[in-house]
PDB file of all heavy atoms in Angstrom:
ATOM      1  N   THR W 172       4.937  17.016 -16.499  1.00 73.00           N
ATOM      2  CA  THR W 172       5.558  16.400 -17.821  1.00 73.00           C
ATOM      3  C   THR W 172       6.664  17.316 -18.263  1.00 73.00           C
ATOM      4  O   THR W 172       7.308  16.935 -19.285  1.00 73.00           O
ATOM      5  CB  THR W 172       4.501  16.433 -18.863  1.00 73.00           C
ATOM      6  OG1 THR W 172       3.938  17.683 -19.086  1.00 73.00           O
ATOM      7  CG2 THR W 172       3.375  15.459 -18.400  1.00 73.00           C
ATOM      8  N   ALA W 173       7.056  18.408 -17.692  1.00 73.00           N
ATOM      9  CA  ALA W 173       8.111  19.209 -18.013  1.00 73.00           C
ATOM     10  C   ALA W 173       9.480  18.446 -17.901  1.00 73.00           C
ATOM     11  O   ALA W 173       9.753  17.748 -16.919  1.00 73.00           O
ATOM     12  CB  ALA W 173       8.254  20.481 -17.298  1.00 73.00           C
ATOM     13  N   GLY W 174      10.343  18.435 -18.895  1.00 66.00           N
ATOM     14  CA  GLY W 174      11.553  17.751 -18.882  1.00 66.00           C
ATOM     15  C   GLY W 174      11.574  16.355 -19.152  1.00 66.00           C
ATOM     16  O   GLY W 174      12.606  15.691 -19.216  1.00 66.00           O
ATOM     17  N   HIS W 175      10.377  15.765 -19.417  1.00 61.00           N
ATOM     18  CA  HIS W 175      10.205  14.390 -19.719  1.00 61.00           C
ATOM     19  C   HIS W 175       9.949  14.154 -21.226  1.00 61.00           C
ATOM     20  O   HIS W 175       8.813  14.445 -21.616  1.00 61.00           O
ATOM     21  CB  HIS W 175       9.211  13.679 -18.857  1.00 61.00           C
ATOM     22  CG  HIS W 175       9.604  13.738 -17.368  1.00 61.00           C
ATOM     23  ND1 HIS W 175      10.637  13.221 -16.868  1.00 61.00           N
ATOM     24  CD2 HIS W 175       8.888  14.289 -16.312  1.00 61.00           C
ATOM     25  CE1 HIS W 175      10.623  13.378 -15.578  1.00 61.00           C
ATOM     26  NE2 HIS W 175       9.546  14.123 -15.299  1.00 61.00           N
ATOM     27  N   ARG W 176      10.820  13.796 -21.987  1.00 57.00           N
ATOM     28  CA  ARG W 176      10.624  13.564 -23.353  1.00 57.00           C
ATOM     29  C   ARG W 176      11.108  12.160 -23.707  1.00 57.00           C
ATOM     30  O   ARG W 176      12.014  11.642 -23.243  1.00 57.00           O
ATOM     31  CB  ARG W 176      11.423  14.513 -24.284  1.00 57.00           C
ATOM     32  CG  ARG W 176      11.153  16.035 -24.003  1.00 57.00           C
ATOM     33  CD  ARG W 176       9.803  16.515 -24.606  1.00 57.00           C
ATOM     34  NE  ARG W 176       9.546  17.830 -24.377  1.00 57.00           N
ATOM     35  CZ  ARG W 176       8.748  18.333 -23.510  1.00 57.00           C
ATOM     36  NH1 ARG W 176       8.090  17.627 -22.748  1.00 57.00           N
ATOM     37  NH2 ARG W 176       8.523  19.648 -23.430  1.00 57.00           N
ATOM     38  N   THR W 177      10.368  11.527 -24.565  1.00 56.00           N
ATOM     39  CA  THR W 177      10.681  10.063 -24.973  1.00 56.00           C
ATOM     40  C   THR W 177      11.072  10.182 -26.493  1.00 56.00           C
ATOM     41  O   THR W 177      10.720  11.117 -27.242  1.00 56.00           O
ATOM     42  CB  THR W 177       9.491   9.196 -24.836  1.00 56.00           C
ATOM     43  OG1 THR W 177       8.401   9.642 -25.553  1.00 56.00           O
ATOM     44  CG2 THR W 177       9.143   9.109 -23.305  1.00 56.00           C
ATOM     45  N   GLY W 178      11.856   9.169 -26.784  1.00 54.00           N
ATOM     46  CA  GLY W 178      12.243   9.066 -28.251  1.00 54.00           C
ATOM     47  C   GLY W 178      13.323   9.951 -28.567  1.00 54.00           C
ATOM     48  O   GLY W 178      14.169  10.121 -27.840  1.00 54.00           O
ATOM     49  N   SER W 179      13.333  10.474 -29.813  1.00 53.00           N
ATOM     50  CA  SER W 179      14.415  11.272 -30.343  1.00 53.00           C
ATOM     51  C   SER W 179      14.575  12.660 -29.790  1.00 53.00           C
ATOM     52  O   SER W 179      15.516  13.311 -29.934  1.00 53.00           O
ATOM     53  CB  SER W 179      14.294  11.324 -31.824  1.00 53.00           C
ATOM     54  OG  SER W 179      13.152  11.982 -32.199  1.00 53.00           O
ATOM     55  N   ALA W 180      13.557  13.149 -29.015  1.00 56.00           N
ATOM     56  CA  ALA W 180      13.559  14.445 -28.516  1.00 56.00           C
ATOM     57  C   ALA W 180      14.559  14.634 -27.325  1.00 56.00           C
ATOM     58  O   ALA W 180      14.975  15.670 -27.021  1.00 56.00           O
ATOM     59  CB  ALA W 180      12.120  14.897 -27.975  1.00 56.00           C
ATOM     60  N   GLY W 181      14.932  13.612 -26.759  1.00 59.00           N
ATOM     61  CA  GLY W 181      15.875  13.564 -25.616  1.00 59.00           C
ATOM     62  C   GLY W 181      15.226  13.970 -24.368  1.00 59.00           C
ATOM     63  O   GLY W 181      14.017  14.192 -24.268  1.00 59.00           O
ATOM     64  N   GLY W 182      15.939  14.105 -23.253  1.00 61.00           N
ATOM     65  CA  GLY W 182      15.425  14.531 -22.054  1.00 61.00           C
ATOM     66  C   GLY W 182      15.631  13.380 -21.017  1.00 61.00           C
ATOM     67  O   GLY W 182      15.989  12.234 -21.300  1.00 61.00           O
ATOM     68  N   ALA W 183      15.271  13.637 -19.807  1.00 63.00           N
ATOM     69  CA  ALA W 183      15.437  12.732 -18.664  1.00 63.00           C
ATOM     70  C   ALA W 183      14.367  11.569 -18.795  1.00 63.00           C
ATOM     71  O   ALA W 183      13.142  11.892 -19.145  1.00 63.00           O
ATOM     72  CB  ALA W 183      15.347  13.392 -17.306  1.00 63.00           C
ATOM     73  N   PRO W 184      14.729  10.401 -18.400  1.00 68.00           N
ATOM     74  CA  PRO W 184      13.617   9.405 -18.390  1.00 68.00           C
ATOM     75  C   PRO W 184      12.695   9.550 -17.218  1.00 68.00           C
ATOM     76  O   PRO W 184      13.086  10.096 -16.208  1.00 68.00           O
ATOM     77  CB  PRO W 184      14.448   8.084 -18.170  1.00 68.00           C
ATOM     78  CG  PRO W 184      15.737   8.518 -17.496  1.00 68.00           C
ATOM     79  CD  PRO W 184      16.019   9.910 -18.038  1.00 68.00           C
ATOM     80  N   VAL W 185      11.528   9.137 -17.359  1.00 69.00           N
ATOM     81  CA  VAL W 185      10.535   9.316 -16.347  1.00 69.00           C
ATOM     82  C   VAL W 185      10.699   8.167 -15.402  1.00 69.00           C
ATOM     83  O   VAL W 185      10.639   7.017 -15.610  1.00 69.00           O
ATOM     84  CB  VAL W 185       9.079   9.141 -16.966  1.00 69.00           C
ATOM     85  CG1 VAL W 185       8.020   9.253 -15.876  1.00 69.00           C
ATOM     86  CG2 VAL W 185       8.794  10.209 -17.975  1.00 69.00           C
ATOM     87  N   THR W 186      10.946   8.564 -14.115  1.00 78.00           N
ATOM     88  CA  THR W 186      11.074   7.586 -13.016  1.00 78.00           C
ATOM     89  C   THR W 186       9.851   7.732 -12.044  1.00 78.00           C
ATOM     90  O   THR W 186       9.303   8.826 -11.931  1.00 78.00           O
ATOM     91  CB  THR W 186      12.343   7.791 -12.223  1.00 78.00           C
ATOM     92  OG1 THR W 186      12.270   9.026 -11.564  1.00 78.00           O
ATOM     93  CG2 THR W 186      13.546   7.693 -13.114  1.00 78.00           C
ATOM     94  N   ARG W 187       9.449   6.714 -11.419  1.00 84.00           N
ATOM     95  CA  ARG W 187       8.378   6.818 -10.481  1.00 84.00           C
ATOM     96  C   ARG W 187       8.614   7.709  -9.327  1.00 84.00           C
ATOM     97  O   ARG W 187       7.790   8.409  -8.893  1.00 84.00           O
ATOM     98  CB  ARG W 187       8.004   5.342  -9.953  1.00 84.00           C
ATOM     99  CG  ARG W 187       7.427   4.460 -11.117  1.00 84.00           C
ATOM    100  CD  ARG W 187       7.055   3.159 -10.561  1.00 84.00           C
ATOM    101  NE  ARG W 187       6.518   2.306 -11.596  1.00 84.00           N
ATOM    102  CZ  ARG W 187       5.794   1.229 -11.450  1.00 84.00           C
ATOM    103  NH1 ARG W 187       5.445   0.931 -10.131  1.00 84.00           N
ATOM    104  NH2 ARG W 187       5.362   0.549 -12.417  1.00 84.00           N
ATOM    105  N   LEU W 188       9.814   7.621  -8.800  1.00 86.00           N
ATOM    106  CA  LEU W 188      10.290   8.478  -7.630  1.00 86.00           C
ATOM    107  C   LEU W 188      10.132   9.968  -8.060  1.00 86.00           C
ATOM    108  O   LEU W 188       9.537  10.715  -7.293  1.00 86.00           O
ATOM    109  CB  LEU W 188      11.628   8.182  -7.237  1.00 86.00           C
ATOM    110  CG  LEU W 188      12.134   8.883  -6.021  1.00 86.00           C
ATOM    111  CD1 LEU W 188      11.257   8.553  -4.768  1.00 86.00           C
ATOM    112  CD2 LEU W 188      13.574   8.544  -5.710  1.00 86.00           C
ATOM    113  N   ARG W 189      10.600  10.315  -9.211  1.00 81.00           N
ATOM    114  CA  ARG W 189      10.599  11.733  -9.627  1.00 81.00           C
ATOM    115  C   ARG W 189       9.104  12.140  -9.901  1.00 81.00           C
ATOM    116  O   ARG W 189       8.703  13.245  -9.439  1.00 81.00           O
ATOM    117  CB  ARG W 189      11.395  11.883 -10.903  1.00 81.00           C
ATOM    118  CG  ARG W 189      11.560  13.319 -11.223  1.00 81.00           C
ATOM    119  CD  ARG W 189      12.543  13.503 -12.279  1.00 81.00           C
ATOM    120  NE  ARG W 189      12.821  14.946 -12.583  1.00 81.00           N
ATOM    121  CZ  ARG W 189      13.705  15.402 -13.218  1.00 81.00           C
ATOM    122  NH1 ARG W 189      14.595  14.601 -13.657  1.00 81.00           N
ATOM    123  NH2 ARG W 189      13.930  16.808 -13.387  1.00 81.00           N
ATOM    124  N   LEU W 190       8.333  11.288 -10.514  1.00 80.00           N
ATOM    125  CA  LEU W 190       6.928  11.595 -10.770  1.00 80.00           C
ATOM    126  C   LEU W 190       6.073  11.727  -9.457  1.00 80.00           C
ATOM    127  O   LEU W 190       5.253  12.711  -9.339  1.00 80.00           O
ATOM    128  CB  LEU W 190       6.290  10.562 -11.617  1.00 80.00           C
ATOM    129  CG  LEU W 190       5.023  10.750 -12.295  1.00 80.00           C
ATOM    130  CD1 LEU W 190       5.010  12.118 -13.094  1.00 80.00           C
ATOM    131  CD2 LEU W 190       4.476   9.661 -13.094  1.00 80.00           C
ATOM    132  N   ALA W 191       6.464  10.874  -8.417  1.00 85.00           N
ATOM    133  CA  ALA W 191       5.708  10.955  -7.181  1.00 85.00           C
ATOM    134  C   ALA W 191       6.140  12.185  -6.451  1.00 85.00           C
ATOM    135  O   ALA W 191       5.336  12.825  -5.827  1.00 85.00           O
ATOM    136  CB  ALA W 191       6.136   9.708  -6.240  1.00 85.00           C
ATOM    137  N   ALA W 192       7.429  12.692  -6.528  1.00 85.00           N
ATOM    138  CA  ALA W 192       7.807  13.818  -5.885  1.00 85.00           C
ATOM    139  C   ALA W 192       7.157  15.002  -6.420  1.00 85.00           C
ATOM    140  O   ALA W 192       6.633  15.939  -5.700  1.00 85.00           O
ATOM    141  CB  ALA W 192       9.351  14.051  -5.978  1.00 85.00           C
ATOM    142  N   LYS W 193       7.053  15.079  -7.823  1.00 83.00           N
ATOM    143  CA  LYS W 193       6.282  16.223  -8.420  1.00 83.00           C
ATOM    144  C   LYS W 193       4.822  16.141  -8.033  1.00 83.00           C
ATOM    145  O   LYS W 193       4.259  17.273  -7.888  1.00 83.00           O
ATOM    146  CB  LYS W 193       6.409  16.131  -9.896  1.00 83.00           C
ATOM    147  CG  LYS W 193       7.790  16.505 -10.441  1.00 83.00           C
ATOM    148  CD  LYS W 193       7.812  16.708 -11.957  1.00 83.00           C
ATOM    149  CE  LYS W 193       9.123  17.239 -12.419  1.00 83.00           C
ATOM    150  NZ  LYS W 193       9.142  17.639 -13.823  1.00 83.00           N
ATOM    151  N   ALA W 194       4.278  15.005  -7.942  1.00 83.00           N
ATOM    152  CA  ALA W 194       2.770  14.910  -7.501  1.00 83.00           C
ATOM    153  C   ALA W 194       2.605  15.518  -6.061  1.00 83.00           C
ATOM    154  O   ALA W 194       1.627  16.161  -5.864  1.00 83.00           O
ATOM    155  CB  ALA W 194       2.353  13.508  -7.671  1.00 83.00           C
ATOM    156  N   ILE W 195       3.571  15.125  -5.233  1.00 89.00           N
ATOM    157  CA  ILE W 195       3.386  15.620  -3.849  1.00 89.00           C
ATOM    158  C   ILE W 195       3.550  17.194  -3.843  1.00 89.00           C
ATOM    159  O   ILE W 195       2.829  17.819  -3.117  1.00 89.00           O
ATOM    160  CB  ILE W 195       4.580  14.889  -2.951  1.00 89.00           C
ATOM    161  CG1 ILE W 195       4.196  13.492  -2.729  1.00 89.00           C
ATOM    162  CG2 ILE W 195       4.676  15.675  -1.688  1.00 89.00           C
ATOM    163  CD1 ILE W 195       5.264  12.659  -2.140  1.00 89.00           C
ATOM    164  N   VAL W 196       4.539  17.698  -4.549  1.00 86.00           N
ATOM    165  CA  VAL W 196       4.728  19.161  -4.644  1.00 86.00           C
ATOM    166  C   VAL W 196       3.423  19.902  -5.154  1.00 86.00           C
ATOM    167  O   VAL W 196       2.933  20.832  -4.635  1.00 86.00           O
ATOM    168  CB  VAL W 196       5.997  19.594  -5.499  1.00 86.00           C
ATOM    169  CG1 VAL W 196       6.013  21.040  -5.860  1.00 86.00           C
ATOM    170  CG2 VAL W 196       7.248  19.149  -4.803  1.00 86.00           C
ATOM    171  N   VAL W 197       2.867  19.308  -6.280  1.00 84.00           N
ATOM    172  CA  VAL W 197       1.720  19.934  -6.850  1.00 84.00           C
ATOM    173  C   VAL W 197       0.574  19.805  -5.860  1.00 84.00           C
ATOM    174  O   VAL W 197      -0.171  20.797  -5.631  1.00 84.00           O
ATOM    175  CB  VAL W 197       1.293  19.252  -8.219  1.00 84.00           C
ATOM    176  CG1 VAL W 197      -0.047  19.615  -8.665  1.00 84.00           C
ATOM    177  CG2 VAL W 197       2.391  19.631  -9.244  1.00 84.00           C
ATOM    178  N   SER W 198       0.409  18.726  -5.187  1.00 86.00           N
ATOM    179  CA  SER W 198      -0.684  18.479  -4.322  1.00 86.00           C
ATOM    180  C   SER W 198      -0.606  19.509  -3.023  1.00 86.00           C
ATOM    181  O   SER W 198      -1.514  20.164  -2.665  1.00 86.00           O
ATOM    182  CB  SER W 198      -0.676  17.132  -3.696  1.00 86.00           C
ATOM    183  OG  SER W 198      -0.904  16.213  -4.717  1.00 86.00           O
ATOM    184  N   ALA W 199       0.639  19.662  -2.545  1.00 88.00           N
ATOM    185  CA  ALA W 199       0.825  20.579  -1.429  1.00 88.00           C
ATOM    186  C   ALA W 199       0.604  21.987  -1.788  1.00 88.00           C
ATOM    187  O   ALA W 199      -0.053  22.789  -0.983  1.00 88.00           O
ATOM    188  CB  ALA W 199       2.244  20.448  -0.883  1.00 88.00           C
ATOM    189  N   VAL W 200       1.089  22.412  -3.028  1.00 85.00           N
ATOM    190  CA  VAL W 200       0.883  23.818  -3.480  1.00 85.00           C
ATOM    191  C   VAL W 200      -0.574  24.143  -3.694  1.00 85.00           C
ATOM    192  O   VAL W 200      -1.091  25.156  -3.303  1.00 85.00           O
ATOM    193  CB  VAL W 200       1.731  24.049  -4.663  1.00 85.00           C
ATOM    194  CG1 VAL W 200       1.372  25.398  -5.372  1.00 85.00           C
ATOM    195  CG2 VAL W 200       3.235  24.019  -4.320  1.00 85.00           C
ATOM    196  N   THR W 201      -1.280  23.107  -4.267  1.00 84.00           N
ATOM    197  CA  THR W 201      -2.735  23.289  -4.600  1.00 84.00           C
ATOM    198  C   THR W 201      -3.532  23.344  -3.236  1.00 84.00           C
ATOM    199  O   THR W 201      -4.361  24.245  -3.032  1.00 84.00           O
ATOM    200  CB  THR W 201      -3.219  22.075  -5.406  1.00 84.00           C
ATOM    201  OG1 THR W 201      -2.440  22.049  -6.598  1.00 84.00           O
ATOM    202  CG2 THR W 201      -4.684  22.318  -5.645  1.00 84.00           C
ATOM    203  N   PHE W 202      -3.148  22.479  -2.241  1.00 88.00           N
ATOM    204  CA  PHE W 202      -3.895  22.602  -1.015  1.00 88.00           C
ATOM    205  C   PHE W 202      -3.718  23.818  -0.321  1.00 88.00           C
ATOM    206  O   PHE W 202      -4.643  24.544   0.180  1.00 88.00           O
ATOM    207  CB  PHE W 202      -3.462  21.410  -0.180  1.00 88.00           C
ATOM    208  CG  PHE W 202      -4.033  21.385   1.227  1.00 88.00           C
ATOM    209  CD1 PHE W 202      -5.362  21.003   1.387  1.00 88.00           C
ATOM    210  CD2 PHE W 202      -3.442  21.775   2.303  1.00 88.00           C
ATOM    211  CE1 PHE W 202      -5.969  20.916   2.593  1.00 88.00           C
ATOM    212  CE2 PHE W 202      -3.959  21.739   3.575  1.00 88.00           C
ATOM    213  CZ  PHE W 202      -5.279  21.328   3.675  1.00 88.00           C
ATOM    214  N   VAL W 203      -2.445  24.356  -0.166  1.00 87.00           N
ATOM    215  CA  VAL W 203      -2.143  25.510   0.509  1.00 87.00           C
ATOM    216  C   VAL W 203      -2.803  26.802  -0.232  1.00 87.00           C
ATOM    217  O   VAL W 203      -3.320  27.643   0.478  1.00 87.00           O
ATOM    218  CB  VAL W 203      -0.643  25.801   0.707  1.00 87.00           C
ATOM    219  CG1 VAL W 203      -0.291  27.131   1.209  1.00 87.00           C
ATOM    220  CG2 VAL W 203      -0.077  24.749   1.652  1.00 87.00           C
ATOM    221  N   THR W 204      -2.683  26.812  -1.471  1.00 84.00           N
ATOM    222  CA  THR W 204      -3.295  27.892  -2.190  1.00 84.00           C
ATOM    223  C   THR W 204      -4.817  27.933  -2.097  1.00 84.00           C
ATOM    224  O   THR W 204      -5.438  28.941  -1.912  1.00 84.00           O
ATOM    225  CB  THR W 204      -2.878  27.856  -3.690  1.00 84.00           C
ATOM    226  OG1 THR W 204      -1.498  27.750  -3.875  1.00 84.00           O
ATOM    227  CG2 THR W 204      -3.459  28.935  -4.562  1.00 84.00           C
ATOM    228  N   ALA W 205      -5.470  26.767  -2.255  1.00 83.00           N
ATOM    229  CA  ALA W 205      -6.868  26.674  -2.056  1.00 83.00           C
ATOM    230  C   ALA W 205      -7.317  27.085  -0.627  1.00 83.00           C
ATOM    231  O   ALA W 205      -8.313  27.811  -0.448  1.00 83.00           O
ATOM    232  CB  ALA W 205      -7.401  25.362  -2.360  1.00 83.00           C
ATOM    233  N   LEU W 206      -6.572  26.668   0.356  1.00 86.00           N
ATOM    234  CA  LEU W 206      -6.951  26.949   1.783  1.00 86.00           C
ATOM    235  C   LEU W 206      -6.868  28.521   1.922  1.00 86.00           C
ATOM    236  O   LEU W 206      -7.746  29.121   2.515  1.00 86.00           O
ATOM    237  CB  LEU W 206      -5.951  26.258   2.702  1.00 86.00           C
ATOM    238  CG  LEU W 206      -6.336  26.226   4.099  1.00 86.00           C
ATOM    239  CD1 LEU W 206      -7.634  25.555   4.377  1.00 86.00           C
ATOM    240  CD2 LEU W 206      -5.167  25.538   4.888  1.00 86.00           C
ATOM    241  N   LEU W 207      -5.812  29.174   1.448  1.00 84.00           N
ATOM    242  CA  LEU W 207      -5.624  30.595   1.609  1.00 84.00           C
ATOM    243  C   LEU W 207      -6.773  31.310   0.753  1.00 84.00           C
ATOM    244  O   LEU W 207      -7.330  32.302   1.241  1.00 84.00           O
ATOM    245  CB  LEU W 207      -4.353  31.010   1.072  1.00 84.00           C
ATOM    246  CG  LEU W 207      -3.093  30.748   1.950  1.00 84.00           C
ATOM    247  CD1 LEU W 207      -1.826  31.108   1.320  1.00 84.00           C
ATOM    248  CD2 LEU W 207      -3.316  31.522   3.321  1.00 84.00           C
ATOM    249  N   ALA W 208      -7.083  30.822  -0.394  1.00 81.00           N
ATOM    250  CA  ALA W 208      -8.060  31.543  -1.257  1.00 81.00           C
ATOM    251  C   ALA W 208      -9.396  31.393  -0.640  1.00 81.00           C
ATOM    252  O   ALA W 208     -10.126  32.432  -0.514  1.00 81.00           O
ATOM    253  CB  ALA W 208      -8.117  30.815  -2.628  1.00 81.00           C
ATOM    254  N   ILE W 209      -9.776  30.180  -0.040  1.00 81.00           N
ATOM    255  CA  ILE W 209     -11.068  30.079   0.506  1.00 81.00           C
ATOM    256  C   ILE W 209     -11.136  30.846   1.806  1.00 81.00           C
ATOM    257  O   ILE W 209     -12.138  31.499   2.199  1.00 81.00           O
ATOM    258  CB  ILE W 209     -11.404  28.534   0.827  1.00 81.00           C
ATOM    259  CG1 ILE W 209     -11.703  27.927  -0.562  1.00 81.00           C
ATOM    260  CG2 ILE W 209     -12.526  28.461   1.714  1.00 81.00           C
ATOM    261  CD1 ILE W 209     -11.828  26.401  -0.449  1.00 81.00           C
ATOM    262  N   GLY W 210     -10.045  30.906   2.558  1.00 85.00           N
ATOM    263  CA  GLY W 210      -9.976  31.692   3.724  1.00 85.00           C
ATOM    264  C   GLY W 210     -10.127  33.165   3.585  1.00 85.00           C
ATOM    265  O   GLY W 210     -10.492  33.961   4.421  1.00 85.00           O
ATOM    266  N   ILE W 211      -9.755  33.669   2.435  1.00 86.00           N
ATOM    267  CA  ILE W 211      -9.848  35.124   2.041  1.00 86.00           C
ATOM    268  C   ILE W 211     -11.148  35.383   1.324  1.00 86.00           C
ATOM    269  O   ILE W 211     -11.875  36.368   1.620  1.00 86.00           O
ATOM    270  CB  ILE W 211      -8.696  35.533   1.201  1.00 86.00           C
ATOM    271  CG1 ILE W 211      -7.414  35.391   2.108  1.00 86.00           C
ATOM    272  CG2 ILE W 211      -8.774  36.950   0.688  1.00 86.00           C
ATOM    273  CD1 ILE W 211      -6.102  35.540   1.201  1.00 86.00           C
ATOM    274  N   VAL W 212     -11.450  34.572   0.224  1.00 83.00           N
ATOM    275  CA  VAL W 212     -12.636  34.902  -0.523  1.00 83.00           C
ATOM    276  C   VAL W 212     -13.963  34.779   0.221  1.00 83.00           C
ATOM    277  O   VAL W 212     -14.908  35.607   0.010  1.00 83.00           O
ATOM    278  CB  VAL W 212     -12.601  33.911  -1.791  1.00 83.00           C
ATOM    279  CG1 VAL W 212     -13.881  34.049  -2.560  1.00 83.00           C
ATOM    280  CG2 VAL W 212     -11.501  34.368  -2.685  1.00 83.00           C
TER     281      VAL W 212
END
């Protein structure tokens, strides 16, 4: 939700492509971090 403001606050509009890209980044980072953590812990 960073950088996405609606109304008078300004900011970039929310697009599906941008939201999907952020979801993919978060998913990949979470997967790799969890895999490393489980492999170490």
Side-chain angles (χ1 to χ4, degrees):
T172 59
H175 298 300
R176 302 283 184 255
T177 58
S179 62
V185 179
T186 64
R187 289 183 186 201
L188 183 61
R189 190 169 186 167
L190 193 58
K193 284 189 174 193
I195 290 170
V196 169
V197 169
S198 300
V200 169
T201 302
F202 178 76
V203 170
T204 304
L206 193 62
L207 286 173
I209 290 172
I211 294 169
V212 169

